[in-house]
Amino acid sequence: MISPCTLGLRIKSYQSTNVSKQSSWTIKHAEDYYGFKRWGGNNFSVDPQGHLCVHPKGDHRKIRITDIVKEAEASGLKPPLTIRVQDLLRHRVTQINEAFRRAIEEEDYQGRYRGVFPIKVNQLREVVEEILDAGEEYDFGLEAGSKPELIIALALLENRKALLVCNGYKDEEYIELALMGRRLGKQTIIVVEQLSEVDAIIRIARRMGVQPHIGIRVKLTTAGEGKWADSTGENAKFGLTASEIVLAAEKLAKAKMKEALRLVHFHIGSQVPNIATIKKAVIEATRFYCELKRMGFPMGLLDVGGGLGIDYDGSRSAFESSMNYSMEVYARDVVANVKQLCEESKIPVPDIVSESGRALVAPHSILIFEAIDRITRDESLTQAPKAKSHQIVRELEAIRKNKRKFDPLERYHDAKQKREEAHARFSLGNLRLEDRAMADRLFWDICRQIRQSLANGTEIPDELARLDSMLAEQYVCNFSVFQSLLDHWALDQLFPIAPIHRLNERPSVQATLVDITCDSDGKVDDFIDLEDVRRTLALHPLKPGQPYYIGAFMVGAYQDIMGDLHNLFGRVNEAHVFLEDDEEDGFYIEESIPGYSVERILDMIQYNSEDLCRMLKRQVDKATKADSVRPREGVAMVDLYERLIRGRTYLIPHREEKSSLRQSRPKLK
Ligand SMILES: *Cc1c(COP(=O)(O)O)cnc(C)c1O
């Protein structure tokens, strides 16, 4: 067995990573293997032709994802492509509001739910606007964590019944801007993160003649859990300790601004996998709320921050890429615990605010990229070694034939040792290149034999369990992990990844993914599984001339904005998809945003494209004058350079390649 994974408490059973070999392959197997129903709920299904479909509203209406890709391609947007399923985004907004509405009804809770969307999780205008539109009937508001985000929120949030929560470090300008919101009749609340902010708010509010609404972020003893746990607890960089809260309360009382204090806020980090952690935090924060109320502040709002998770691997466990609760359970637990504590303290219940970002926006966005090539683990053995090959080759051949029926582990050790010996001899000049190549091929063939001989479900020694990833092929994919799946690189966060077509064919190749950046970290070799993680993903053999599309799912939270410009690839193309109302299974692309051109990305790092063109042209002219380049050839070179500087950064797969030197376009002025 593989040893327990250090990431979580789950033990891997070997069986779960394998594509069943016995029965014939059906779309049901595909749904099961890639986990579409587990992590996607009612939002994904596979049609009989093997295409993955998205159900934006979780009902029977569906869109083939390959159709979206085709439609986007027709308008010039080739993968890598971000597809935003706008109806799915709206659906999530409705879901969280309804979950709290039901919980409040069931618990007979006397307060309301007043959610806000934290802009930092996805700042794209279309995303924020869609959320506000879908949330209008629930008076859904916004949360800002910086001046630029507040600038967005002030303009976009017109609903006067919705909250605008201002978090993050604040300077005077930030506070002024927030108070300006109050003057415009908005429900702006400034959440104090540092004690020093209290004095600043009092001073600026007096100067502007505005009655501020203030919240206090409390530093809880309850630490978060999961990847962001370190940012919480006593060492958190945000929030006030109990004694600072007492000081803040005194400052407000002294300034005759007791009326201002309305809200208690906490945030224990994102993607909290365990509901028990959330409960503990809610209980502790409610105690702070009740105490402040008892001290005579008006209060009225309890803000439980973010942290509501996404079940990326569909395992419903306390594993860090998962969660052991649902949105409904979350809402019920928050409401019930706040109610119970307030009743015990004989304090009227507050309205409940939550700042769920990830849970709202992660599911709506799908990244589509193309596998354009593969790197195999040494070619297969096409012929047996010649009788007069080097002795070491003959020894490996004997291990391969295994006449003495050694057990797998022993064979593996022998083969490994012989191969190391072959490499050492090669370095010393005692082995020819042809023999070394044969030694490598024999070694990999032995590994493949051993792998095949291991029955599913049996106890497999650690070393042999690693054969799967050693033997895996690498699919070269036209995208950048650093731009589009940053958290996978930075935090080992798992995203569901699966082909979006050919799902009625057995995926017979065990593979890992590598991106097109020149960085060995630009890869995906951890995949979701029901238990633990898979080291390889079963994919389909690539067919020449036919694109093979892979999707990375639930990438709508954080990835967009945190992606970086490694190797200068930049943002990918984007298509915003809506369901067609009066047409069964129809859809339209409302908006498309082209990815970065080379020119645009160069401009960000201070290269002016016209200057570059001029510099290149000067060199071409020089070469032409020196007769090393013919004039016509020189013109074609400049044309190519100018055309590509306006072109896209990502690769254009070979099948579309045209002889670029022969095409010419209008020149840059
Ligand atoms: C990041 C952040 C959130 C959003 O957290 P999610 O886990 O994405 O819901 C909410 N509130 C604050 C203060 C944050 O910093």
Side-chain angles (χ1 to χ4, degrees), residues 68-313:
I68 302 175
V69 174
K70 263 189 233 149
E71 177 96 10
E73 281 206 354
S75 56
L77 299 180
K78 296 191 167 68
L81 174 74
T82 297
I83 297 174
R84 292 191 192 285
V85 186
Q86 299 292 93
D87 295 292
L88 187 47
L89 181 56
R90 301 181 69 91
H91 183 56
R92 294 295 284 184
V93 176
T94 310
Q95 236 178 329
I96 194 167
N97 280 288
E98 287 297 319
F100 271 98
R101 190 188 57 75
R102 270 195 305 275
I104 282 170
E105 210 172 274
E106 282 166 21
E107 293 292 329
D108 194 20
Y109 189 85
Q110 295 305 306
R112 294 170 54 209
Y113 170 66
R114 310 181 65 190
V116 295
F117 171 65
I119 296 182
K120 74 152 194 260
V121 186
N122 194 320
Q123 299 95 334
L124 191 76
R125 180 168 59 80
E126 285 86 348
V127 171
V128 178
E129 283 178 350
E130 203 71 58
I131 290 172
L132 285 180
D133 191 58
E136 178 74 27
E137 59 178 301
Y138 303 101
D139 299 329
F140 207 69
L142 292 174
E143 184 262 5
S146 67
K147 259 186 285 184
E149 288 180 0
L150 178 56
I151 282 170
I152 296 174
L154 277 174
L156 259 59
L157 187 62
E158 294 195 47
N159 182 348
R160 288 176 172 221
K161 286 189 267 169
L163 291 174
L164 200 178
V165 178
C166 304
N167 290 324
Y169 288 114
K170 297 166 202 74
D171 60 7
E172 299 219 348
E173 291 176 345
Y174 186 145
I175 295 167
E176 247 178 74
L177 204 59
L179 292 175
M180 191 184 99
R182 291 275 302 141
R183 297 278 299 134
L184 292 173
K186 293 177 200 279
Q187 302 216 27
T188 314
I189 299 191
I190 307 176
V191 177
V192 173
E193 312 251 12
Q194 308 290 315
L195 189 56
S196 61
E197 287 172 11
V198 179
D199 296 321
I201 295 169
I202 293 171
R203 192 174 63 245
I204 298 165
R206 279 204 182 122
R207 191 179 74 217
M208 291 174 70
V210 182
Q211 171 71 359
H213 281 178
I214 297 178
I216 286 182
R217 179 165 179 169
V218 297
K219 215 175 243 185
L220 299 181
T221 317
T222 313
E225 194 183 330
K227 291 184 182 299
W228 287 266
D230 290 347
S231 59
T232 59
E234 310 236 23
N235 289 323
K237 72 179 191 183
F238 290 120
L240 271 55
T241 61
S243 64
E244 286 172 328
I245 293 173
V246 172
L247 285 175
E250 283 168 10
K251 280 176 194 286
L252 288 175
K254 203 165 141 222
K256 305 226 172 329
M257 276 203 193
K258 271 188 109 164
E259 266 305 295
L261 190 55
R262 303 294 172 116
L263 172 148
V264 161
H265 172 274
F266 73 89
H267 175 65
I268 52 168
S270 204
Q271 184 66 21
V272 177
N274 195 345
I275 188 74
T277 314
I278 289 170
K279 274 192 218 181
K280 260 165 72 182
V282 167
I283 289 172
E284 194 184 344
T286 309
R287 284 293 301 136
F288 277 101
Y289 177 89
C290 291
E291 285 300 300
L292 285 165
K293 181 85 190 172
R294 182 185 58 75
M295 288 158 75
F297 293 94
M299 305 310 289
L301 295 163
L302 177 67
D303 183 347
V304 298
L308 175 55
I310 283 282
D311 192 1
Y312 290 98
D313 69 7

Side-chain angles (χ1 to χ4, degrees), residues 443-627:
F443 172 77
W444 290 114
D445 204 59
I446 295 164
C447 291
R448 270 187 286 267
Q449 273 185 13
I450 294 174
R451 176 65 197 94
Q452 272 163 20
S453 72
L454 300 172
N456 280 341
T458 53
E459 296 266 312
I460 292 169
D462 241 16
E463 274 176 284
L464 298 186
R466 259 180 253 137
L467 282 178
D468 261 352
S469 46
M470 280 171 62
L471 287 166
E473 299 202 358
Q474 291 173 309
Y475 274 30
V476 180
C477 297
N478 191 15
F479 81 119
S480 159
V481 167
F482 306 94
Q483 172 66 46
S484 301
L485 289 180
L486 191 78
D487 280 346
H488 185 74
W489 171 71
L491 297 159
D492 291 327
Q493 143 132 45
L494 301 180
F495 294 94
I497 292 178
I500 58 164
H501 56 151
R502 296 175 62 185
L503 292 163
N504 51 355
E505 287 173 44
R506 179 188 301 280
S508 56
V509 183
Q510 288 295 328
T512 61
L513 310 181
V514 294
D515 74 3
I516 55 168
T517 64
C518 309
D519 193 315
S520 52
D521 269 0
K523 62 177 181 190
V524 182
D525 55 6
D526 285 326
F527 303 92
I528 61 160
D529 198 357
L530 253 189
E531 292 163 327
D532 200 5
V533 291
R534 287 182 181 135
R535 301 293 170 201
T536 61
L537 186 67
L539 293 172
H540 302 89
L542 301 181
K543 292 185 186 163
Q546 286 182 29
Y548 185 59
Y549 294 124
I550 298 173
F553 300 85
M554 307 213 276
V555 296
Y558 299 103
Q559 306 314 297
D560 279 323
I561 221 67
M562 295 203 304
D564 64 31
L565 299 184
H566 196 4
N567 270 142
L568 304 184
F569 286 113
R571 288 185 72 96
V572 305
N573 289 329
E574 214 175 291
H576 300 178
V577 175
F578 280 92
L579 271 172
E580 189 87 67
D581 266 341
D582 35 308
E583 199 185 312
E584 187 72 3
D585 298 349
F587 71 95
Y588 61 96
I589 294 180
E590 191 197 54
E591 182 130 28
S592 54
I593 307 173
Y596 285 172
S597 65
V598 175
E599 185 173 35
R600 178 153 176 207
I601 220 160
L602 292 183
D603 190 58
M604 291 180 188
I605 44 173
Q606 303 282 69
Y607 294 97
N608 177 291
S609 58
E610 288 176 26
D611 287 350
L612 292 175
C613 289
R614 220 173 297 123
M615 284 154 80
L616 183 97
K617 187 159 184 306
R618 207 167 53 226
Q619 297 171 52
V620 169
D621 286 348
K622 218 161 132 190
T624 315
K625 278 206 192 92
D627 263 352

Side-chain angles (χ1 to χ4, degrees), residues 619-638:
Q619 297 171 52
V620 169
D621 286 348
K622 218 161 132 190
T624 315
K625 278 206 192 92
D627 263 352
S628 56
V629 165
R630 274 170 291 136
R632 283 184 75 162
E633 201 188 347
V635 172
M637 282 183 185
V638 173

